[in-house]
Amino acid sequence: MSKPLLEIQDLHVHFNTSDGVVEAINGATLSISAGEVLGLVGESGSGKSVTAMSVLGLVPQPPAIYPAGKILWKGTDLLTTPDRELREIRGGEISMIFQDPMTSLNPVYTIGHQISEMIRVHSRVSAKQAKEKSIEMLDLVGVPNPRQRFDDYPHQFSGGMRQRAMIAMALSCEPELLIADEPTTALDVTIQAQILEIIEKSARELNVAVLLITHDLGVVAGICDRVAVMYAGRIVEEAPVNDLFENPLMPYTWGLMRSIPQMDSVKGERLYTIPGSPPVMSRPPKGCAFASRCEFAIDKCKTDLPEIRQISNGRTVRCHRVGEPNFALSQKVL
């Protein structure tokens, strides 16, 4: 594995609110290299999107504050990078596909204008060159009749076509890192497969690093190389995708796996759900944040924060009980 393009080191992101300080990110650490697809999974509110938005400097300050941590892009800390330099990186070297393309695209400008504007800001080319590049990108992501659709407005595109346009815009300046935040939300399964194929093709053929944020573990299994599981603002398990699915170690990861509908399940049987609710991060627990919901928790879990442990090359977990003989046997019940 080559040296990582992006390294997030012990990142903390807090928000000042009327209910007190919300500790949204509490020491997240992860890295991604060129051509690699890293999946970031976890329940809503676990901190996935805040982590991604922090990379691009899109979290408003205030109310956000960054009390600790670094976000290193090719060795440069983006948290201390001047705004002018960050604007050059944002969109040029790092691009993002947002969750809802309808609210991300400006309804009063044509699709072509918005892609061309991105290209002209970062590439310093003429309007004619930007138009031709935009048409080329629309064709690359599978928009039919791209020269004709160049002058269409977002409301004239379907949901799947709008997402394709967002991907075209994100790839138009040939970024080195593509952050995809729930890129297939609200799309039917056929369109989902096509969108994911485009993203995977970008990674494999263009050597683009991809950070894929999703709730769908099926998507992760299909295109990711590694998976990082996030809970309560921390990475609780990280592993190569095959290792994680074959042998999840953290009880929270087990819970996510058990929540997936099984082909051999009994008709009428209720789906498994993880009991309880995520902690309120304005009053974070002292020990493991998952302890109150974990059927395997012991007293130590409720009082001591588990350190991140390296189990093997490329595999880490944050759990007091991993490695105990009896705990290993308990995997059989899952």
Side-chain angles (χ1 to χ4, degrees):
M1 184 71 70
S2 60
K3 185 177 180 180
L5 285 173
L6 178 72
E7 294 180 87
I8 299 175
Q9 299 178 352
D10 194 32
L11 180 66
H12 290 71
V13 187
H14 298 172
F15 291 89
N16 290 313
T17 71
S18 56
D19 293 330
V21 177
V22 176
E23 300 179 10
I25 308 295
N26 247 333
T29 296
L30 57 84
S31 64
I32 183 168
S33 301
E36 181 182 32
V37 182
L38 172 65
L40 185 60
V41 302
E43 291 172 293
S44 295
S46 60
K48 305 184 301 298
S49 292
V50 172
T51 301
M53 300 279 274
S54 295
V55 172
L56 291 172
L58 296 178
V59 181
Q61 301 179 61
I65 55 175
Y66 290 82
K70 295 180 179 180
I71 301 176
L72 300 179
W73 173 249
K74 301 178 185 176
T76 300
D77 190 356
L78 297 181
L79 293 180
T80 58
T81 299
D83 288 345
R84 184 174 180 178
E85 293 180 27
L86 189 58
R87 282 195 296 270
E88 292 293 323
I89 295 172
R90 185 194 302 137
E93 298 179 25
I94 305 174
S95 288
M96 186 166 183
I97 304 170
F98 294 94
Q99 187 167 345
D100 185 355
M102 196 60 210
T103 57
S104 301
L105 293 167
N106 192 322
V108 302
Y109 291 103
T110 64
I111 293 291
H113 173 89
Q114 295 181 63
I115 300 175
S116 296
E117 182 182 36
M118 167 79 84
I119 295 170
R120 294 193 69 186
V121 165
H122 292 284
S123 301
R124 309 293 193 272
V125 297
S126 67
K128 183 177 180 181
Q129 289 172 316
K131 179 178 179 178
E132 291 303 315
K133 177 69 171 180
S134 300
I135 293 170
E136 179 186 331
M137 296 308 301
L138 288 172
D139 183 53
L140 177 69
V141 298
V143 173
N145 304 316
R147 191 168 294 277
Q148 178 183 340
R149 303 306 298 270
F150 177 88
D151 293 317
D152 284 353
Y153 288 86
H155 73 270
Q156 295 175 283
F157 274 46
S158 66
M161 287 297 110
R162 285 195 293 267
Q163 196 62 287
R164 289 172 190 265
M166 286 294 298
I167 296 173
M169 188 184 301
L171 295 176
S172 61
C173 294
E174 301 178 1
E176 296 174 69
L177 171 63
L178 179 64
I179 301 174
D181 188 359
E182 296 282 358
T184 58
T185 297
L187 301 178
D188 64 64
V189 291
T190 303
I191 302 301
Q192 280 186 27
Q194 294 170 356
I195 296 299
L196 292 170
E197 183 180 1
I198 294 168
I199 293 173
E200 185 176 21
K201 184 178 180 181
S202 300
R204 309 308 179 201
E205 297 184 9
L206 303 178
N207 205 36
V208 176
V210 178
L211 176 60
L212 177 64
I213 299 170
T214 182
H215 290 96
D216 192 336
L217 291 172
V219 168
V220 169
I223 73 169
C224 291
D225 301 306
R226 288 189 299 124
V227 191
V229 181
M230 197 167 205
Y231 186 77
R234 293 188 178 96
I235 303 298
V236 295
E237 184 166 1
E238 186 175 351
V241 65
N242 290 336
D243 292 347
L244 189 86
F245 278 85
E246 290 174 4
N247 183 29
L249 299 176
M250 168 70 182
Y252 176 63
T253 311
W254 294 349
L256 294 178
M257 298 294 184
R258 292 178 67 184
S259 301
I260 302 173
Q262 302 296 318
M263 293 293 292
D264 58 353
S265 60
V266 179
K267 183 178 180 180
E269 184 181 12
R270 291 180 64 87
L271 291 174
Y272 174 82
T273 57
I274 300 174
S277 301
V280 177
M281 295 312 292
S282 58
R283 299 182 297 277
K286 292 181 179 180
C288 175
F290 190 61
S292 63
R293 307 174 69 187
C294 179
E295 59 186 294
F296 303 109
I298 56 178
D299 290 342
K300 183 179 181 180
C301 300
K302 300 174 183 178
T303 57
D304 298 344
L305 176 66
E307 297 293 329
I308 196 78
R309 296 168 52 194
Q310 182 157 345
I311 303 302
S312 59
N313 186 29
R315 179 147 210 194
T316 59
V317 66
R318 188 184 292 273
C319 181
H320 287 302
R321 301 205 60 193
V322 169
E324 295 180 10
N326 292 337
F327 186 66
L329 291 173
S330 68
Q331 297 179 39
K332 303 295 185 183
V333 303
L334 300 176

